[in-house]
Amino acid sequence: MGFTVLVLAGVGLAMAAYLARYTFLVVTVRGISMEPTLHDGDRILVRRKSAASIRRGEIAVVMAGIDPPGHLGYAVKRVAALPGEIVPPAGFDSATGIEPGATVPAQSVVLIGDNRDHSHDSRQRGFYHATTILGTMVRKMP
């Protein structure tokens, strides 16, 4: 009976570790685009979420491409508008095709860095596809 309890406890711990790894992600912030909220080098705990459960105002982590080659890059930005909402008046570049006051299309979001003078975000890049969102910040790590 003691051996069975140990095996079950081990299996339970392995399942808990697997679920935590699947549910959470630790991301290191690079750059100053989220200052003063987050600083270069801050580590944040991110809960993986579906695009449908993202809320305006949350800090989202999105896949941003490969940089350097072989490494998946992440971008950390604040959710400014969700599908069906109005694009905020935030100084959008006309080249993005986003007009302030327009409606955000389905499966798209507007993401903007807190440090608006030093952030490459929806104002220059356009809408982010909702499927690129990995999750939202839960908290800063110590």
Side-chain angles (χ1 to χ4, degrees):
M1 182 153 144
F3 178 72
T4 303
V5 170
L6 286 175
V7 169
L8 289 175
V11 169
L13 285 172
M15 288 178 60
Y18 173 78
L19 288 174
R21 177 89 171 139
Y22 178 75
T23 305
F24 294 99
L25 176 70
V26 176
V27 173
T28 301
V29 176
R30 297 288 176 223
I32 61 171
S33 70
M34 285 302 293
E35 287 184 352
T37 308
L38 300 170
H39 301 279
D40 185 44
D42 282 352
R43 292 171 16 115
I44 59 173
L45 181 64
V46 176
R47 178 183 206 111
R48 295 180 193 265
K49 286 186 174 183
S50 68
S53 64
I54 303 298
R55 300 289 172 245
R56 186 178 356 90
E58 290 184 304
I59 295 175
V61 175
V62 296
M63 293 182 291
I66 307 297
D67 184 37
H71 272 276
L72 179 62
Y74 302 110
V76 180
K77 307 290 180 195
R78 191 169 301 277
V79 178
L82 297 163
E85 294 183 346
I86 302 300
V87 173
F92 285 87
D93 185 330
S94 60
T96 65
I98 298 178
E99 294 293 327
T103 302
V104 178
Q107 296 299 312
S108 298
V109 294
V110 174
L111 301 177
I112 298 177
D114 287 358
N115 185 350
R116 296 187 181 197
D117 292 335
H118 295 93
S119 179
H120 185 78
D121 50 39
S122 287
R123 294 170 300 148
Q124 297 84 24
R125 186 187 180 281
F127 295 112
Y128 284 78
H129 197 275
T131 58
T132 64
I133 295 176
L134 296 175
T136 59
M137 184 179 98
V138 175
R139 66 190 228 41
K140 281 199 243 184
M141 301 292 289

